[in-house]
Amino acid sequence: MNFIVVLASFPQLLEGLLITLALSAASIVGSTLLGLLAATLRVSRVPIGSQIARIYVEVFRGSPLLITLLFVYFGSAYAGYHMNIFAAAVVGISVYQGAYIAEIIRAGIESVPPGQWEASKILGLSNSQTFVSVVLPQTGKIVLPPLIGQYIALIKDTSIAFVIGLAELVRQGQAIIDRVGQPLAVYVTIAALYFIICYPLSRWVRGLEKRSQPA
Amino acid sequence: MSNLEPIIKLAGVTKSFGAVQVLKGIDLHVSEGEVLVVIGASGSGKSTVLRIMSGLETADSGQVWVNSVPLHDPRRAREIRGHVGMVFQQFNLFPHLTALGNVTLALLKVRKLSAEVAKKKALAVLDRVGLAEKAGNYPSQLSGGQQQRVAIARALAVEPTIMFFDEATSALDPELVGEVTSVMRSLADEGMTMVVVTHEMSFARKTADRVVFMDQGIIAEQGPPEQLFVRPQNDRTKQFLQRVLEV
Amino acid sequence: MAVLGYLGDISEAALLVLKITVLAFLLAVVLGLAAAVGRNSRFRILRFGAGVYVEVIRNTPVLLQIFVAYFALPNLGLNLNAFEAGVLALGVNVGAYLAEVFRAGISSVPKGQVEAAAILGLRSLDISIFVVFPQALRNVYPAVVNYLVQILLGTSLLSAIALPELTGTATTINSRTLIFLPVFTVTVLVYLLLSNVLAALAGIIGRVAFKPALVLPRGSVLSRMRLLKVNAVRGEVNK
Ligand SMILES: Nc1ncnc2c1ncn2[C@@H]1O[C@H](COP(=O)(O)OP(=O)(O)OP(=O)(O)O)[C@@H](O)[C@H]1O
Ligand SMILES: [Mg+2]
């Protein structure tokens, strides 16, 4: 392993890292909004809405992210609408991860005891008022650990945008390898960068889980 | 073993968890065939005493002889296993085994009986607690009282010399307590040596040969039930009894 | 529909996906068990090694791990073809997750179970085999099935090392025919079919193999498997 060569190309890796971080941030926002919407639809019992939300969740959780990315990127091109790679990656990852996040939020909503709904009804709150100001705030403690866990998965999954040609961290690494070789040194460096981002988050999740569970 | 020699002997037993000393010097003898009931407030150390006598915990200091096994000697403490029975508040039945499976497990793995003999023996013990016809049920398919009776059968199957009960009825709905205490009472009538931690004062009164009152890690008072319940000497005992008997 | 002409290729690819999934899953279970045992070991080196394995794998992308297996291991003298590299990478990846599942599964068995068995006189090996292990297995089963499905979906990434599995095959057919929508729709349907069939099979096995029957909550097979995460496993105390 020759890390000197890698060090010389480090600026290129940082460029990739920046794109990985931007993609992660945008997709976290997108997937959380979509997940919240789908979860709300799902529990709302609005006849068609909750069915659509259900199918959405089922389809994306039963198929690979890569297919979703290909669908969005090439599909939009075939449909005559040219999307840039970054936008396609944000849309694909948000839609895909949104399905997982929807289930996490739904589990959180359903963990709020029905008595909370009943008590609010008696106080004269409408269903949507109850949902927004009574139920959702209570889901935080239950939802946060798996939600952060899902964000970690999302950050790692941004690497899959490699396949549609986004110049994120792994693709920049591959470019360096094509130029100077040293695959192991390059991969170890990339792994270290991901690790530095994900490991603290993982520790945080573990801390949250421990706290939410009475020993 | 001579009948005069106590089957359980605790001398100067102490036990701490972390910085908290839970037992502060316990001296206690139990004779063969005796039914000893231990009462006391929550946290007074009742379970800990029972767990030390059954070998689940080791004392920090003092001597513990049970069934001629020196439990204070870590090298020999294991010898008690399979010779005493323990019934837990939470039943601790094996949920993946039927009532019969729960009772036969030790007969097969410890006693090395054949499947046929073990089954016959287990059914006999289950019959004794009135549950022979539930032999094929899993714990989740039994009521709390039935589960606890299976747990008693499981303990009895290995023919223990002593039975320990740690709040065996505390997790039960009130109407199910009777079916368990009546099994316990019949065991006592048959001469089983028993140490019973319980909040059932009527059981203590009717069945105990001797009652021990524990308070903050020591034995504050002990004596036959008629004495302890009617003329308690210790103020703490009086307060405790007033509180529990009022309810 | 031109896509029908390629059904042969697609089913061949689906078969390859199943083959990789089964092999990688077996590897993952073995590694997961080893790492779970290692993390609870008396020996510091084993604890440390297992910990590094679990943390490094869980905090780096699986695509990177696939690339290491395929492009970097030759530098260390280990030449794997795409199939072998795929099985290795997916197995090693999911093994790290299963290690945590197994650990949680074992600690989810209440202490009272071990105590009850110990007082009956069972030796510690017998306690593990006849009391702890069957209950732990039941507790981890839904999460393990979840990871089985994750491996299935993960095989799509092996198209990046030119393995002709489903996604790769779909891309090839597409580049040859340009019938994008039908090809990728069929591909998605095949993935959905495979993942749901796997989960349904696992559900049936769970109902038959566990006593009393392991009945999972209502809902589609897949979502109920997915929902039961390690947390749920840890929290589930048997009555
Ligand atoms: N394993 C342990 N670790 C730490 N502290 C413990 C442990 N077991 C018991 N204790 C503490 O020791 C004290 C005595 O516990 P013990 O269970 O013996 O009381 P008890 O008389 O049985 O009470 P209860 O009626 O509530 O069952 C309590 O304060 C308890 O919190
Ligand atoms: Mg107690």
Side-chain angles (χ1 to χ4, degrees):
Chain A
M1 276 199 278
N2 187 343
F3 282 99
I4 309 280
V5 183
V6 181
L7 226 57
S9 308
F10 203 68
Q12 194 177 348
L13 282 185
L14 284 186
E15 229 171 88
L17 178 64
L18 228 55
I19 294 184
T20 291
L21 289 176
L23 177 57
S24 300
S27 305
I28 283 175
V29 173
S31 60
T32 307
L33 291 177
L34 266 173
L36 195 57
L37 179 69
T40 309
L41 271 179
R42 187 81 196 270
V43 296
S44 69
R45 302 205 187 90
V46 175
I48 297 170
S50 68
Q51 284 313 307
I52 290 176
R54 210 188 123 160
I55 292 169
Y56 163 62
V57 167
E58 288 296 321
V59 166
F60 287 98
R61 291 172 54 127
S63 56
L65 169 60
L66 179 50
I67 290 280
T68 308
L69 284 176
L70 294 173
F71 236 112
V72 173
Y73 186 58
F74 294 114
S76 66
Y78 279 99
Y81 175 76
H82 193 77
M83 240 185 192
N84 81 40
I85 301 182
F86 185 82
V90 172
V91 171
I93 294 174
S94 297
V95 168
Y96 188 83
Q97 293 288 348
Y100 283 81
I101 289 175
E103 286 301 90
I104 291 171
I105 295 177
R106 183 170 74 106
I109 292 171
E110 285 173 355
S111 72
V112 175
Q116 296 288 314
W117 289 93
E118 287 158 16
S120 308
K121 192 173 266 175
I122 290 169
L123 287 174
L125 292 172
S126 74
N127 273 343
S128 53
Q129 282 170 327
T130 306
F131 183 68
V132 173
S133 49
V134 178
V135 175
L136 271 189
Q138 294 188 48
T139 62
K141 234 190 228 153
I142 289 165
V143 162
L144 198 59
L147 194 60
I148 307 288
Q150 199 60 44
Y151 291 159
I152 298 171
L154 183 151
I155 293 169
K156 291 181 293 175
D157 277 357
T158 57
S159 61
I160 298 172
F162 169 98
V163 181
I164 58 170
L166 185 70
E168 45 68 66
L169 189 49
V170 178
R171 181 161 278 273
Q172 296 287 15
Q174 210 67 13
I176 296 171
I177 293 169
D178 288 345
R179 214 173 51 237
V180 303
Q182 299 299 334
L184 200 55
V186 173
Y187 291 142
V188 168
T189 311
I190 296 176
L193 290 173
Y194 275 105
F195 191 85
I196 290 169
I197 301 167
C198 296
Y199 185 64
L201 290 174
S202 301
R203 291 295 296 258
W204 185 29
V205 172
R206 205 161 308 162
L208 287 173
E209 276 171 354
K210 248 183 220 142
R211 227 170 307 153
S212 65
Q213 273 159 16
Chain B
M1 189 191 306
S2 128
N3 250 347
L4 300 172
E5 182 71 3
I7 192 167
I8 300 175
K9 264 193 306 188
L10 272 64
V13 168
T14 68
K15 177 77 183 172
S16 300
F17 292 112
V20 189
Q21 191 172 34
V22 175
L23 298 183
K24 299 168 183 161
I26 301 287
D27 300 292
L28 186 65
H29 289 189
V30 183
S31 340
E32 215 170 330
E34 190 175 5
V35 176
L36 182 79
V37 167
V38 182
I39 61 174
S42 179
S44 56
K46 308 182 294 293
S47 294
T48 307
V49 168
L50 216 57
R51 291 168 61 83
I52 285 175
M53 292 193 290
S54 60
L56 286 178
E57 306 274 2
T58 341
D60 293 342
S61 65
Q63 294 214 335
V64 183
W65 291 87
V66 177
N67 210 18
S68 311
V69 179
L71 290 179
H72 48 272
D73 179 354
R75 283 163 306 172
R76 294 196 54 197
R78 295 186 57 90
E79 293 170 23
I80 199 64
R81 305 254 165 112
H83 298 285
V84 295
M86 174 86 134
V87 178
F88 302 86
Q89 180 175 354
Q90 298 301 338
F91 320 145
N92 291 347
L93 284 180
F94 307 131
H96 60 298
L97 300 177
T98 59
L100 185 68
N102 267 277
V103 180
T104 50
L105 185 64
L107 297 177
L108 295 170
K109 300 301 162 198
V110 183
R111 291 294 151 86
K112 313 277 186 205
L113 299 183
S114 72
E116 203 181 328
V117 177
K119 183 175 174 184
K120 208 167 143 218
K121 188 162 178 165
L123 284 174
V125 191
L126 279 170
D127 190 42
R128 189 165 157 200
V129 298
L131 287 173
E133 78 280 14
K134 299 281 185 192
N137 288 34
Y138 287 92
S140 57
Q141 300 163 333
L142 297 171
S143 74
Q146 291 170 334
Q147 289 186 55
Q148 195 59 298
R149 280 147 67 201
V150 172
I152 294 174
R154 176 176 72 178
L156 288 177
V158 298
E159 294 170 1
T161 47
I162 306 165
M163 284 286 284
F164 298 111
F165 294 82
D166 192 357
E167 302 198 26
T169 57
S170 292
L172 299 177
D173 291 337
E175 75 270 20
L176 300 179
V177 168
E179 63 188 73
V180 173
T181 46
S182 77
V183 169
M184 290 166 68
R185 197 162 296 139
S186 76
L187 268 181
D189 292 343
E190 287 163 30
M192 172 69 77
T193 309
M194 293 167 55
V195 180
V196 181
V197 172
T198 187
H199 292 301
E200 291 294 318
M201 292 305 150
S202 67
F203 176 87
R205 228 183 262 193
K206 287 184 213 150
T207 316
D209 295 315
R210 183 157 51 108
V211 179
V212 162
F213 172 68
M214 282 193 64
D215 183 48
Q216 295 174 8
I218 56 160
I219 293 179
E221 184 169 0
Q222 57 177 308
E226 52 274 18
Q227 177 200 315
L228 201 107
F229 284 114
V230 182
R231 287 183 307 279
Q233 306 298 306
N234 184 303
D235 282 343
R236 306 277 304 190
T237 317
K238 282 180 204 159
Q239 284 168 16
F240 175 78
L241 287 176
Q242 244 164 31
R243 246 183 303 134
V244 291
L245 294 179
E246 251 169 33
V247 203
Chain C
M1 292 260 284
V3 68
L4 293 179
Y6 291 93
L7 279 187
D9 290 347
I10 292 176
S11 45
E12 214 169 284
L15 220 60
L16 181 61
V17 165
L18 286 179
K19 212 160 122 191
I20 297 171
T21 304
V22 170
L23 289 176
F25 178 68
L26 293 179
L27 177 61
V29 168
V30 171
L31 288 175
L33 279 177
V37 171
R39 286 201 106 173
N40 289 334
S41 159
R42 276 181 297 143
F43 303 107
R44 245 194 39 218
I45 297 202
L46 286 184
R47 281 205 307 272
F48 181 75
V52 168
Y53 162 58
V54 169
E55 295 301 346
V56 166
I57 294 296
R58 286 170 61 106
N59 289 294
T60 54
V62 62
L63 184 67
L64 193 65
Q65 293 155 16
I66 292 169
F67 283 174
V68 167
Y70 191 62
F71 295 121
L73 285 189
N75 277 29
L76 301 177
L78 190 57
N79 275 300
L80 301 177
N81 62 34
F83 178 86
E84 294 160 345
V87 169
L88 179 68
L90 292 176
V92 166
N93 179 266
V94 171
Y97 291 87
L98 286 185
E100 293 298 277
V101 169
F102 291 150
R103 224 156 60 117
I106 295 204
S107 57
S108 72
V109 176
K111 211 173 90 214
Q113 291 287 312
V114 175
E115 293 183 345
I119 287 198
L120 287 171
L122 270 76
R123 291 176 311 146
S124 55
L125 186 63
D126 282 338
I127 296 177
S128 298
I129 296 175
F130 297 107
V131 176
V132 177
F133 191 64
Q135 296 183 55
L137 192 63
R138 181 192 178 92
N139 289 348
V140 302
Y141 187 74
V144 171
V145 173
N146 171 20
Y147 283 113
L148 175 65
V149 175
Q150 295 294 352
I151 294 180
L152 178 89
L153 301 181
T155 59
S156 68
L157 298 178
L158 302 180
S159 60
I161 54 172
L163 192 76
E165 44 60 73
L166 256 179
T167 307
T169 302
T171 316
T172 312
I173 297 172
N174 177 48
S175 62
R176 220 178 294 153
T177 61
L178 299 183
I179 44 170
F180 177 81
L181 199 62
V183 172
F184 276 86
T185 307
V186 168
T187 308
V188 168
L189 289 177
V190 174
Y191 275 116
L192 285 174
L193 182 77
L194 291 180
S195 52
N196 277 286
V197 165
L198 266 193
L201 269 179
I204 292 168
I205 292 172
R207 204 160 312 165
V208 176
F210 289 103
K211 305 284 176 208
L214 177 58
V215 183
L216 297 158
R218 285 198 160 277
S220 105
V221 184
L222 207 56
S223 58
R224 64 172 110 124
M225 289 297 180
R226 294 289 181 77
L227 266 179
L228 296 160
K229 282 251 162 116
V230 185
N231 285 356
V233 170
R234 219 178 279 159
E236 185 184 304
V237 175
N238 38 61
K239 286 192 187 161

